[in-house]
Amino acid sequence: MAAALVAACATASTEDHMFEHFERAGEIQSALIRGDLEGARPAARRLAEDEGAEGLPSWSEPYRATFSEEAGTVAAAESLDDAVAGAARLYRSCGACHQAVPGGPRFTVGDEAPPDVDPVAHMGRHLWAVDRMWAGLVGPSEESWARGLAALQDDPLKAEDLPGGTAREEDVEEMAELLHREAYRATQASNWNDRTEAYGRILASCAGCHVERPFN
């Protein structure tokens, strides 16, 4: 995850626990973007167990319960769609807890989206954008969400822009257009619950395309 995390004042053990969450949550997103459900399970199981949470304040228990439940949903998911929806809710639970903490952690967007100069850069721009939307949910961060969503407003790739692969040309174009339709739809989401669903749909469209055209 490239977005910078600025931690709140906390004990060293609490900070370590939160960074553990941060890293495992990022691993889940990276695996699901690739369409790799099995790759997402280990980190999800780790988060569902939530070991070392005993020292966290009692007021965080409802948030942690939701967090563990949704991590368990990802770990046990029978389909990518179920895993992606659970992951989106997992990230929202992080943001809800962070909102409840005065001076809680926040994300800053320290770099610019890669320029859209060729198909490889276009996909890098997608990754940058989804990463920022992820940080927007987890932070939560209005700036990060908006910057990520703006980077998905480019024209979708056409089949002729891509090297040969396993998908039919019309499938490539349909999946690319779906992502951009979902990005536009996400601009209408005005609250974090709606944004959670929008992020899930965008992540699902990434995963679906990459299952069809596997990463090398």
Side-chain angles (χ1 to χ4, degrees), residues 3-42:
L5 170 65
V6 181
C9 294
T11 65
S13 61
T14 300
E15 287 189 1
D16 288 345
H17 192 72
M18 291 299 99
F19 274 105
E20 168 80 5
H21 281 188
F22 177 74
E23 291 177 356
R24 299 293 85 77
E27 289 172 9
I28 292 170
Q29 181 189 241
S30 296
L32 293 179
I33 285 174
R34 298 193 303 271
D36 181 8
L37 176 53
E38 292 305 316
R41 294 192 198 279

Side-chain angles (χ1 to χ4, degrees), residues 21 24-29 32 40 43-45 47-48 63-75 83-98 134 137-138 196 199:
H21 281 188
R24 299 293 85 77
E27 289 172 9
I28 292 170
Q29 181 189 241
L32 293 179
R45 292 190 190 103
L47 292 181
Y63 301 102
R64 288 175 9 230
T66 301
F67 175 88
S68 295
E69 178 182 354
E70 298 301 351
T73 296
V74 177
V84 164
R89 295 190 299 268
L90 167 65
Y91 302 144
R92 173 57 190 143
S93 73
C94 296
C97 187
H98 295 160
W134 175 86
L137 286 180
V138 173
T196 298
Y199 167 85

